[in-house]
Amino acid sequence: MLSAGLVKEMSMMSCVELAVNFLSKAIAQTVQEGTDRNAGVCFEAYLGELCKDL
């Protein structure tokens, strides 16, 4: 996210905020689903949002 944002001339702070927001939602979704922590974070549902923001 940082690299993509910087290429699009976003500020580093904006990139970090975007990453934190994305990961917060994904981690919350993962916990809500009860996914085993060894299976990773369920981030796929939020990729569309991320693409729009970048």
Side-chain angles (χ1 to χ4, degrees):
M1 288 179 241
L2 180 60
S3 296
L6 292 175
V7 166
K8 293 190 163 225
E9 299 182 4
M10 294 172 65
S11 71
M12 190 174 293
M13 184 59 122
S14 295
C15 296
V16 170
E17 289 173 353
L18 185 63
V20 168
N21 187 36
F22 173 78
L23 289 172
S24 295
K25 289 178 185 178
I27 291 169
Q29 180 70 30
T30 302
V31 170
Q32 184 179 16
E33 290 179 9
T35 303
D36 185 308
R37 68 181 187 167
N38 293 321
V41 177
C42 301
F43 63 89
E44 295 85 358
Y46 302 101
L47 286 175
E49 269 183 53
L50 182 63
C51 291
K52 288 179 188 175
D53 292 338
L54 281 176

